[in-house]
Amino acid sequence: MESGVPTLQTPSPTQPPEDVDTDDCLSSYSYLFSPGILKGQVAFITGGGSGIGFRIAEIFMRHGCHTIIASRNLQRVSEAAKKLMTATGQRCLPLCVDVRQPETIIAAVDQALAEFGHINILVNNAAGNFLCPASALSFNAYKTVLDIDTMGTFNTSKVVFEKCFQAHGGVIVNITATLSYKGQALQVHAGTAKAAVDAMTKHLAVEWGPSKVRVNSLAPGPISGTEGYRRLGGKWAEAGSQFNSIPLQRAGNKTEIAHSALYLASPLASYVTGTTLVADGGSWLTSANNFSAMLGHWSTDTRKDK
Ligand SMILES: CC/C=C\C/C=C\C/C=C\C/C=C\C/C=C\C/C=C\C=C\C(=O)SCCNC(=O)CCNC(=O)[C@H](O)C(C)(C)COP(=O)(O)OP(=O)(O)OC[C@H]1O[C@@H](n2cnc3c(N)ncnc32)[C@H](O)[C@@H]1OP(=O)(O)O
Ligand SMILES: NC(=O)C1=CN([C@@H]2O[C@H](COP(=O)(O)OP(=O)(O)OC[C@H]3O[C@@H](n4cnc5c(N)ncnc54)[C@H](OP(=O)(O)O)[C@@H]3O)[C@@H](O)[C@H]2O)C=CC1
């Protein structure tokens, strides 16, 4: 304070914010963005009952947003909505949706509009994934992942655009992945599906920009406390040694991904559209694409019907 300038306790540029590995709200939260940056807005978040989608819902709500969290398991989203409302004081509507079935999306968006009057933000987060070599992947397994990730993102975006964004503008954040950048082993299904979503992001940004709609992708790296991390990393990820190869030397956490989503959804990104924000600690640049190690991990997978 010698110079008369107050010293602020700012975190270091690579210090992760607080997180918890379970699908529970944070016990405390330090604001980095303005707390009212999404005040009065409404976000529709697919797969918002668990993992990254749950934390995105929480962080948006802590910044003044109401949310709709929608997935196949109504009990899961209903329990999540209670936790989110208690922790943040904002409204959260849990709805049952299968993003592969447009009629369920239409019903959910109608219900959301009846409840809130408008939707400002769509987060396409719902996805399905598992490790599987291409040669062992059934035709239906490949199709299932493309149906959820790629078709699901298109289906939901189209319904929300036609029912709301076309007339009023809005923001779409598509959660993708870096899997296709290096042809990740055992991930042809999810890598193809997410690459198609990154392409969709650009096409929709071009077509819908004149309607005041921004569309961006957000591609996380390995994120702890998530189903994706458990399924794809398993014990191998828990050992932690492979993180030496990641420039930031650690996995990311859900709050970090939620902060990136908050940036893209907020007016801070008002001139950002048609792009992919990679939030992976530099991981895809340097991590080995170790086919034999991945095959070893797959062979210890305990899934009964493999
Ligand atoms: C890859 C490693 C990367 C980097 C390494 C670096 C560091 C390592 C450290 C950590 C790694 C951690 C993270 C890696 C980084 C990035 C990851 C990137 C992307 C992550 C993407 C995700 O999406 S994670 C989301 C995970 N959550 C879910 O998947 C939940 C939802 N999932 C589901 O509902 C199911 O699993 C489903 C996708 C199968 C869909 O369910 P349903 O519709 O009920 O379908 P089914 O009828 O059950 O199945 C349909 C067909 O699919 C076949 N199937 C199902 N499971 C498997 C499997 N495990 N293996 C093979 N085949 C499977 C099933 O048999 C059906 O086919 P048929 O032919 O039999 O009909
Ligand atoms: N975890 C990680 O390290 C990474 C994750 N990602 C991406 O982040 C996102 C979240 O993943 P993560 O948190 O790990 O996993 P989760 O399994 O927790 O999230 C996926 C969500 O999608 C929902 N869902 C799945 N299928 C459907 C469907 N057909 N219709 C509607 N909802 C559906 C699930 O709910 P329900 O079962 O109730 O339907 C679940 O809530 C995904 O897009 C994933 O690809 C990307 C890179 C890395």
Side-chain angles (χ1 to χ4, degrees):
M1 287 286 288
E2 273 175 27
S3 64
V5 179
T7 48
L8 294 173
Q9 285 296 323
T10 50
S12 87
T14 62
Q15 184 183 322
E18 189 201 327
D19 209 333
V20 287
D21 272 356
T22 53
D23 289 333
D24 291 296
C25 293
L26 304 169
S27 54
S28 66
Y29 182 71
S30 301
Y31 281 89
L32 299 169
F33 286 76
S34 164
I37 198 163
L38 296 185
K39 193 166 189 293
Q41 305 239 325
V42 177
F44 190 104
I45 304 169
T46 64
S50 64
I52 289 171
F54 178 87
R55 189 68 74 235
I56 291 175
E58 176 185 349
I59 296 299
F60 281 19
M61 290 169 77
R62 287 185 183 276
H63 289 83
C65 194
H66 304 300
T67 58
I68 301 101
I69 55 173
S71 78
R72 296 166 300 178
N73 184 336
L74 186 58
Q75 189 182 341
R76 167 141 81 168
V77 281
S78 299
E79 284 166 13
K82 280 186 207 149
K83 292 181 196 173
L84 290 164
M85 287 191 284
T86 303
T88 68
Q90 302 297 322
R91 288 156 66 202
C92 177
L93 177 66
L95 293 175
C96 185
V97 157
D98 187 326
V99 294
R100 294 168 287 190
Q101 297 171 0
E103 64 280 7
T104 69
I105 306 168
I106 291 168
V109 170
D110 283 342
Q111 213 175 322
L113 290 172
E115 179 83 14
F116 294 105
H118 60 286
I119 296 169
N120 308 91
I121 301 160
L122 166 63
V123 182
N124 284 305
N125 166 80
N129 199 3
F130 43 79
L131 289 177
C132 190
S135 57
L137 200 60
S138 74
F139 297 116
N140 189 44
Y142 184 81
K143 180 178 184 300
T144 297
V145 172
L146 264 84
D147 279 348
I148 299 172
D149 296 20
T150 311
M151 290 304 301
T153 297
F154 180 73
N155 295 341
T156 313
S157 301
K158 181 173 162 66
V159 172
V160 172
F161 178 75
E162 286 175 358
K163 288 188 175 284
C164 190
F165 287 5
Q166 186 164 27
H168 305 289
V171 184
I172 299 177
V173 180
N174 294 324
I175 309 300
T176 61
T178 62
L179 298 166
S180 69
Y181 298 6
K182 287 206 292 192
Q184 183 67 46
L186 280 54
Q187 286 287 277
V188 66
H189 42 306
T192 315
K194 295 295 195 179
V197 176
D198 284 340
M200 196 189 307
T201 289
K202 293 186 220 167
H203 289 282
L204 297 182
V206 168
E207 285 200 25
W208 294 351
S211 303
K212 298 189 170 27
V213 180
R214 291 192 295 107
V215 189
N216 290 290
S217 290
L218 169 57
I223 304 304
S224 58
T226 67
E227 187 60 24
Y229 191 78
R230 286 184 284 273
R231 286 184 183 216
L232 275 53
K235 287 181 186 152
W236 183 61
E238 279 161 27
S241 55
Q242 78 282 1
F243 295 137
N244 296 338
S245 68
I246 297 178
L248 292 188
Q249 309 269 289
R250 62 176 177 85
N253 74 35
K254 293 172 285 189
T255 305
E256 291 178 299
I257 300 307
H259 282 160
S260 293
L262 176 60
Y263 162 71
L264 288 174
S266 80
L268 284 169
S270 55
Y271 203 51
V272 179
T273 197
T275 194
T276 298
L277 174 58
V278 176
D280 76 335
S283 175
W284 82 267
L285 292 166
T286 53
S287 294
N289 192 351
N290 190 332
F291 192 20
S292 53
M294 296 294 286
L295 270 178
H297 176 51
W298 174 68
S299 67
T300 61
D301 183 351
T302 52
R303 179 175 168 267
K304 290 186 190 67
D305 54 342
K306 191 171 78 186

